[in-house]
Structures are given as structure tokens and as C-alpha cells.
Amino acid sequence: MLSTGLILTGCSSESSRGKPELKVDGAFMPEPVGDMAAGFLTVRNDGGEADKLTSVTSALSDDVTIHESKNQKMRKVAAFDIPAGGELALERGGSHVMFMELKQRPKPGGHVSVRLHFEKSDPIAVELAVKEPTYNPKKH
């Protein structure tokens, strides 16, 4: 009886909230010190259905990938889950966007335009604020 109630609750919640509702905040890029850079941001999903971040594109580089860091090792991944009613946090020391072979070196105070691509949702254009190389929002 209890499991039936949970299933019905889940169905009514999803039908009333429908698809993923994605919003991005906290987007930044530390000033690159070489020909590569990392980008960080949070994708919040206020919707009733999960989604996935599948890729990122930018005019800054033709080689933009998404990476996770575990046990001090970085590896490219095909997608990141964005749970319904949850968030995907790309942050220093963890998962991030990686830009290789930069076409130019952005400076603090500037912005880098990126486009986030998802499995279900339409792409979202985001401006990464360029910060000093040591910037960490958790310490500010």
C-alpha cells in the first residue's frame, strides 16, 4: 500500500511539473594561464523531469569538453545528469567544462560566451565571467 502511494505521488508531481526547467547561475572562468581553461557553473532544474548536459560549445575553442574529477584524476565524460528538482554543480576541484587550444586569452573583467546543450531541453546561452586565476566563489 505504501509503495502505491509513492508511485501515485511521483506521477502527480511529474504531471503537474512536466519537463525539465533549467536555469544557470554562478558561471565563471578563471583567467587562463596557458592555452587551456576551465569553466564552472551551476545548472538548476526546477522541473519534474531529469535532463542531461551533453555538450558545451564556444567560439573561444573548437575543443570544448565536459570533465569530472575523482581521486585527483580528470576524465572526459559524455554527459552529466541534472536531476528533477536538483542541480548539477560544476565547481573547482570537481566536474567542469574544459576548453583546449584557446583562440584567445580572456582577461579578468571580460566574458566568454558558451552554449550548453542538453538531452531534452533547448540549448542555453551563458556568459562566463572571467575572474582572476585564483578566484574561488566558496572562499569569497
Side-chain angles (χ1 to χ4, degrees), residues 25-30 40-42 90-92 131-140:
D25 62 19
F28 76 97
M29 170 187 282
F40 306 97
L41 52 87
T42 300
L90 303 181
E91 55 193 8
R92 282 187 175 268
K131 303 290 189 175
E132 66 274 7
T134 59
Y135 177 76
N136 188 343
K138 290 185 175 182
K139 294 182 180 177
H140 283 84

Side-chain angles (χ1 to χ4, degrees), residues 52-57 115-119 121-124:
K52 290 178 184 277
L53 174 66
T54 57
S55 67
V56 179
T57 55
R115 198 159 176 84
L116 307 178
H117 302 271
F118 304 95
E119 181 178 71
S121 301
D122 291 336
I124 298 176

Side-chain angles (χ1 to χ4, degrees), residues 13-82:
S13 172
E14 286 199 32
S15 65
S16 65
R17 296 187 69 183
K19 60 185 181 173
E21 294 175 24
L22 306 180
K23 295 177 186 153
V24 178
D25 62 19
F28 76 97
M29 170 187 282
E31 178 183 17
V33 293
D35 69 343
M36 65 180 79
F40 306 97
L41 52 87
T42 300
V43 181
R44 298 188 197 295
N45 183 357
D46 293 329
E49 184 178 350
D51 206 341
K52 290 178 184 277
L53 174 66
T54 57
S55 67
V56 179
T57 55
S58 175
L60 181 64
S61 170
D62 293 330
D63 185 7
V64 183
T65 54
I66 52 178
H67 288 90
E68 70 178 359
S69 294
K70 286 188 178 176
N71 303 321
Q72 299 181 343
K73 291 186 180 183
M74 180 175 70
R75 74 178 181 101
K76 180 179 169 184
V77 295
F80 283 122
D81 292 328
I82 309 165

